[in-house]
Amino acid sequence: MKRLNTHAIMRALLRYFAVFISCILGADASPDGATGCRGGGPAVGGAHLDDSKEIRAALFPLAGLTLSLGGMILDPLSANIATFPTAEDLEIVVTSSQFPIRGILIRAARTDSVDATGSLSPGPLLQNAVVCEAPVVGITHFNRTNKVSVNGTLRFDEPTNVLLEVTVVLLNNAEASIFAWDSWAVSFVQTTAIQGCDMGPAVVLDQDD
């Protein structure tokens, strides 16, 4: 009989709870970039949570969204922490297969609360999220044009554990508000390669016939 992964179940329940709480509290966003950088749930508020319209909040897998880092698609439901090398520029990509991306906030924070400023850089369709203050760093949209995919670069030069949180606005009009959020724990470790080792002259052992 297959054992239940209680850790993964608890992580999933906590994410659903965070989405529910965000629908009550929220954090403002605007057409030219996020205006709030609160973690722990979707960074949406204001018109996104208007009682007069249909509101749909989902986690990434249910919304047809994926997050990849360094070419690896990260599974938000996995209990395993993905590991990446330090001192490398890793492309971080958010892709949508169902709805166009209208707005987004990619948020990164070290779990040891050390300042992460400078670790996250925007790609051509994003800008630095000035609302994210140290020790947190973020990148966000600068217009409401439809996007299938957006990207940036993530880099840490020393070993650390990082929490990534991404909010995506897929639709917000007079009738409906659709947005998604999820989080991923990742780890950066130092990799050491042996290069240019001088082992001295080769030794040849005589062998009897």
PDB file of all heavy atoms in Angstrom, residues 178-197:
ATOM      1  N   ILE A 178      -9.354  36.895 -12.692  1.00  0.00           N
ATOM      2  CA  ILE A 178      -8.713  35.585 -12.625  1.00  0.00           C
ATOM      3  C   ILE A 178      -7.225  35.794 -12.370  1.00  0.00           C
ATOM      4  O   ILE A 178      -6.553  36.504 -13.116  1.00  0.00           O
ATOM      5  CB  ILE A 178      -8.901  34.783 -13.933  1.00  0.00           C
ATOM      6  CG1 ILE A 178     -10.395  34.618 -14.249  1.00  0.00           C
ATOM      7  CG2 ILE A 178      -8.231  33.426 -13.835  1.00  0.00           C
ATOM      8  CD1 ILE A 178     -10.661  33.954 -15.589  1.00  0.00           C
ATOM      9  N   PHE A 179      -6.730  35.188 -11.294  1.00  0.00           N
ATOM     10  CA  PHE A 179      -5.311  35.313 -10.979  1.00  0.00           C
ATOM     11  C   PHE A 179      -4.818  34.025 -10.346  1.00  0.00           C
ATOM     12  O   PHE A 179      -5.608  33.174  -9.904  1.00  0.00           O
ATOM     13  CB  PHE A 179      -5.046  36.508 -10.056  1.00  0.00           C
ATOM     14  CG  PHE A 179      -5.904  36.539  -8.822  1.00  0.00           C
ATOM     15  CD1 PHE A 179      -5.511  35.892  -7.655  1.00  0.00           C
ATOM     16  CD2 PHE A 179      -7.107  37.230  -8.819  1.00  0.00           C
ATOM     17  CE1 PHE A 179      -6.305  35.923  -6.513  1.00  0.00           C
ATOM     18  CE2 PHE A 179      -7.916  37.266  -7.687  1.00  0.00           C
ATOM     19  CZ  PHE A 179      -7.511  36.616  -6.528  1.00  0.00           C
ATOM     20  N   ALA A 180      -3.508  33.869 -10.324  1.00  0.00           N
ATOM     21  CA  ALA A 180      -2.906  32.652  -9.780  1.00  0.00           C
ATOM     22  C   ALA A 180      -1.672  33.015  -8.968  1.00  0.00           C
ATOM     23  O   ALA A 180      -1.048  34.061  -9.190  1.00  0.00           O
ATOM     24  CB  ALA A 180      -2.532  31.686 -10.906  1.00  0.00           C
ATOM     25  N   TRP A 181      -1.337  32.131  -8.043  1.00  0.00           N
ATOM     26  CA  TRP A 181      -0.158  32.319  -7.186  1.00  0.00           C
ATOM     27  C   TRP A 181       0.390  30.955  -6.791  1.00  0.00           C
ATOM     28  O   TRP A 181      -0.350  29.980  -6.703  1.00  0.00           O
ATOM     29  CB  TRP A 181      -0.547  33.092  -5.925  1.00  0.00           C
ATOM     30  CG  TRP A 181       0.513  33.093  -4.843  1.00  0.00           C
ATOM     31  CD1 TRP A 181       1.528  33.992  -4.696  1.00  0.00           C
ATOM     32  CD2 TRP A 181       0.643  32.171  -3.759  1.00  0.00           C
ATOM     33  NE1 TRP A 181       2.289  33.687  -3.591  1.00  0.00           N
ATOM     34  CE2 TRP A 181       1.764  32.561  -2.999  1.00  0.00           C
ATOM     35  CE3 TRP A 181      -0.065  31.044  -3.368  1.00  0.00           C
ATOM     36  CZ2 TRP A 181       2.178  31.871  -1.862  1.00  0.00           C
ATOM     37  CZ3 TRP A 181       0.349  30.350  -2.248  1.00  0.00           C
ATOM     38  CH2 TRP A 181       1.465  30.769  -1.501  1.00  0.00           C
ATOM     39  N   ASP A 182       1.701  30.906  -6.597  1.00  0.00           N
ATOM     40  CA  ASP A 182       2.296  29.701  -6.035  1.00  0.00           C
ATOM     41  C   ASP A 182       3.667  30.041  -5.478  1.00  0.00           C
ATOM     42  O   ASP A 182       4.174  31.162  -5.667  1.00  0.00           O
ATOM     43  CB  ASP A 182       2.402  28.587  -7.077  1.00  0.00           C
ATOM     44  CG  ASP A 182       1.868  27.260  -6.516  1.00  0.00           C
ATOM     45  OD1 ASP A 182       2.250  26.922  -5.379  1.00  0.00           O
ATOM     46  OD2 ASP A 182       1.077  26.588  -7.202  1.00  0.00           O
ATOM     47  N   SER A 183       4.257  29.068  -4.772  1.00  0.00           N
ATOM     48  CA  SER A 183       5.566  29.296  -4.147  1.00  0.00           C
ATOM     49  C   SER A 183       6.431  28.056  -4.302  1.00  0.00           C
ATOM     50  O   SER A 183       5.923  26.933  -4.412  1.00  0.00           O
ATOM     51  CB  SER A 183       5.404  29.650  -2.663  1.00  0.00           C
ATOM     52  OG  SER A 183       4.831  28.558  -1.953  1.00  0.00           O
ATOM     53  N   TRP A 184       7.735  28.283  -4.309  1.00  0.00           N
ATOM     54  CA  TRP A 184       8.710  27.209  -4.474  1.00  0.00           C
ATOM     55  C   TRP A 184       9.899  27.471  -3.557  1.00  0.00           C
ATOM     56  O   TRP A 184      10.409  28.597  -3.495  1.00  0.00           O
ATOM     57  CB  TRP A 184       9.228  27.140  -5.916  1.00  0.00           C
ATOM     58  CG  TRP A 184       8.180  26.914  -6.947  1.00  0.00           C
ATOM     59  CD1 TRP A 184       7.851  25.736  -7.570  1.00  0.00           C
ATOM     60  CD2 TRP A 184       7.292  27.897  -7.516  1.00  0.00           C
ATOM     61  NE1 TRP A 184       6.834  25.919  -8.471  1.00  0.00           N
ATOM     62  CE2 TRP A 184       6.464  27.238  -8.461  1.00  0.00           C
ATOM     63  CE3 TRP A 184       7.116  29.270  -7.306  1.00  0.00           C
ATOM     64  CZ2 TRP A 184       5.496  27.905  -9.189  1.00  0.00           C
ATOM     65  CZ3 TRP A 184       6.145  29.930  -8.029  1.00  0.00           C
ATOM     66  CH2 TRP A 184       5.343  29.241  -8.957  1.00  0.00           C
ATOM     67  N   ALA A 185      10.359  26.441  -2.878  1.00  0.00           N
ATOM     68  CA  ALA A 185      11.584  26.532  -2.083  1.00  0.00           C
ATOM     69  C   ALA A 185      12.729  25.949  -2.908  1.00  0.00           C
ATOM     70  O   ALA A 185      12.633  24.818  -3.403  1.00  0.00           O
ATOM     71  CB  ALA A 185      11.429  25.759  -0.777  1.00  0.00           C
ATOM     72  N   VAL A 186      13.791  26.738  -3.097  1.00  0.00           N
ATOM     73  CA  VAL A 186      14.952  26.272  -3.856  1.00  0.00           C
ATOM     74  C   VAL A 186      16.218  26.523  -3.039  1.00  0.00           C
ATOM     75  O   VAL A 186      16.238  27.360  -2.128  1.00  0.00           O
ATOM     76  CB  VAL A 186      15.063  26.972  -5.229  1.00  0.00           C
ATOM     77  CG1 VAL A 186      13.863  26.643  -6.096  1.00  0.00           C
ATOM     78  CG2 VAL A 186      15.189  28.487  -5.054  1.00  0.00           C
ATOM     79  N   SER A 187      17.263  25.786  -3.370  1.00  0.00           N
ATOM     80  CA  SER A 187      18.520  25.888  -2.636  1.00  0.00           C
ATOM     81  C   SER A 187      19.668  26.124  -3.608  1.00  0.00           C
ATOM     82  O   SER A 187      19.710  25.535  -4.694  1.00  0.00           O
ATOM     83  CB  SER A 187      18.757  24.600  -1.841  1.00  0.00           C
ATOM     84  OG  SER A 187      19.968  24.674  -1.113  1.00  0.00           O
ATOM     85  N   PHE A 188      20.583  26.992  -3.204  1.00  0.00           N
ATOM     86  CA  PHE A 188      21.780  27.264  -4.002  1.00  0.00           C
ATOM     87  C   PHE A 188      22.988  26.724  -3.248  1.00  0.00           C
ATOM     88  O   PHE A 188      23.205  27.062  -2.084  1.00  0.00           O
ATOM     89  CB  PHE A 188      21.930  28.763  -4.262  1.00  0.00           C
ATOM     90  CG  PHE A 188      20.925  29.289  -5.238  1.00  0.00           C
ATOM     91  CD1 PHE A 188      19.639  29.620  -4.828  1.00  0.00           C
ATOM     92  CD2 PHE A 188      21.250  29.440  -6.574  1.00  0.00           C
ATOM     93  CE1 PHE A 188      18.697  30.086  -5.730  1.00  0.00           C
ATOM     94  CE2 PHE A 188      20.325  29.909  -7.489  1.00  0.00           C
ATOM     95  CZ  PHE A 188      19.045  30.238  -7.066  1.00  0.00           C
ATOM     96  N   VAL A 189      23.752  25.880  -3.934  1.00  0.00           N
ATOM     97  CA  VAL A 189      24.916  25.245  -3.317  1.00  0.00           C
ATOM     98  C   VAL A 189      26.152  25.501  -4.164  1.00  0.00           C
ATOM     99  O   VAL A 189      26.067  25.682  -5.379  1.00  0.00           O
ATOM    100  CB  VAL A 189      24.706  23.726  -3.141  1.00  0.00           C
ATOM    101  CG1 VAL A 189      23.525  23.448  -2.231  1.00  0.00           C
ATOM    102  CG2 VAL A 189      24.503  23.049  -4.491  1.00  0.00           C
ATOM    103  N   GLN A 190      27.289  25.517  -3.507  1.00  0.00           N
ATOM    104  CA  GLN A 190      28.552  25.742  -4.200  1.00  0.00           C
ATOM    105  C   GLN A 190      29.059  24.438  -4.792  1.00  0.00           C
ATOM    106  O   GLN A 190      29.102  23.407  -4.127  1.00  0.00           O
ATOM    107  CB  GLN A 190      29.595  26.320  -3.244  1.00  0.00           C
ATOM    108  CG  GLN A 190      30.888  26.724  -3.915  1.00  0.00           C
ATOM    109  CD  GLN A 190      31.814  27.462  -2.959  1.00  0.00           C
ATOM    110  OE1 GLN A 190      31.530  27.548  -1.769  1.00  0.00           O
ATOM    111  NE2 GLN A 190      32.900  28.003  -3.472  1.00  0.00           N
ATOM    112  N   THR A 191      29.407  24.494  -6.067  1.00  0.00           N
ATOM    113  CA  THR A 191      29.965  23.321  -6.728  1.00  0.00           C
ATOM    114  C   THR A 191      31.445  23.563  -6.963  1.00  0.00           C
ATOM    115  O   THR A 191      31.854  24.629  -7.426  1.00  0.00           O
ATOM    116  CB  THR A 191      29.271  23.056  -8.075  1.00  0.00           C
ATOM    117  OG1 THR A 191      29.364  24.228  -8.898  1.00  0.00           O
ATOM    118  CG2 THR A 191      27.810  22.713  -7.859  1.00  0.00           C
ATOM    119  N   THR A 192      32.295  22.581  -6.645  1.00  0.00           N
ATOM    120  CA  THR A 192      33.743  22.716  -6.774  1.00  0.00           C
ATOM    121  C   THR A 192      34.250  21.751  -7.831  1.00  0.00           C
ATOM    122  O   THR A 192      34.000  20.550  -7.753  1.00  0.00           O
ATOM    123  CB  THR A 192      34.443  22.401  -5.441  1.00  0.00           C
ATOM    124  OG1 THR A 192      33.921  23.265  -4.429  1.00  0.00           O
ATOM    125  CG2 THR A 192      35.949  22.617  -5.563  1.00  0.00           C
ATOM    126  N   ALA A 193      34.951  22.308  -8.792  1.00  0.00           N
ATOM    127  CA  ALA A 193      35.540  21.484  -9.841  1.00  0.00           C
ATOM    128  C   ALA A 193      37.056  21.493  -9.690  1.00  0.00           C
ATOM    129  O   ALA A 193      37.661  22.529  -9.395  1.00  0.00           O
ATOM    130  CB  ALA A 193      35.159  22.006 -11.224  1.00  0.00           C
ATOM    131  N   ILE A 194      37.682  20.348  -9.872  1.00  0.00           N
ATOM    132  CA  ILE A 194      39.139  20.256  -9.790  1.00  0.00           C
ATOM    133  C   ILE A 194      39.724  20.575 -11.155  1.00  0.00           C
ATOM    134  O   ILE A 194      39.473  19.863 -12.127  1.00  0.00           O
ATOM    135  CB  ILE A 194      39.581  18.852  -9.347  1.00  0.00           C
ATOM    136  CG1 ILE A 194      38.991  18.532  -7.976  1.00  0.00           C
ATOM    137  CG2 ILE A 194      41.099  18.732  -9.323  1.00  0.00           C
ATOM    138  CD1 ILE A 194      39.299  17.124  -7.500  1.00  0.00           C
ATOM    139  N   GLN A 195      40.439  21.685 -11.225  1.00  0.00           N
ATOM    140  CA  GLN A 195      40.999  22.108 -12.489  1.00  0.00           C
ATOM    141  C   GLN A 195      42.499  22.348 -12.330  1.00  0.00           C
ATOM    142  O   GLN A 195      42.952  22.923 -11.347  1.00  0.00           O
ATOM    143  CB  GLN A 195      40.324  23.395 -12.986  1.00  0.00           C
ATOM    144  CG  GLN A 195      38.821  23.218 -13.250  1.00  0.00           C
ATOM    145  CD  GLN A 195      38.174  24.513 -13.674  1.00  0.00           C
ATOM    146  OE1 GLN A 195      38.779  25.578 -13.556  1.00  0.00           O
ATOM    147  NE2 GLN A 195      36.970  24.409 -14.193  1.00  0.00           N
ATOM    148  N   GLY A 196      43.280  21.926 -13.345  1.00  0.00           N
ATOM    149  CA  GLY A 196      44.707  22.227 -13.374  1.00  0.00           C
ATOM    150  C   GLY A 196      45.484  21.614 -12.241  1.00  0.00           C
ATOM    151  O   GLY A 196      46.457  22.201 -11.770  1.00  0.00           O
ATOM    152  N   CYS A 197      45.083  20.460 -11.739  1.00  0.00           N
ATOM    153  CA  CYS A 197      45.816  19.828 -10.646  1.00  0.00           C
ATOM    154  C   CYS A 197      47.127  19.246 -11.170  1.00  0.00           C
ATOM    155  O   CYS A 197      47.124  18.487 -12.139  1.00  0.00           O
ATOM    156  CB  CYS A 197      44.979  18.711 -10.012  1.00  0.00           C
ATOM    157  SG  CYS A 197      43.570  19.347  -9.090  1.00  0.00           S
TER     158      CYS A 197
END
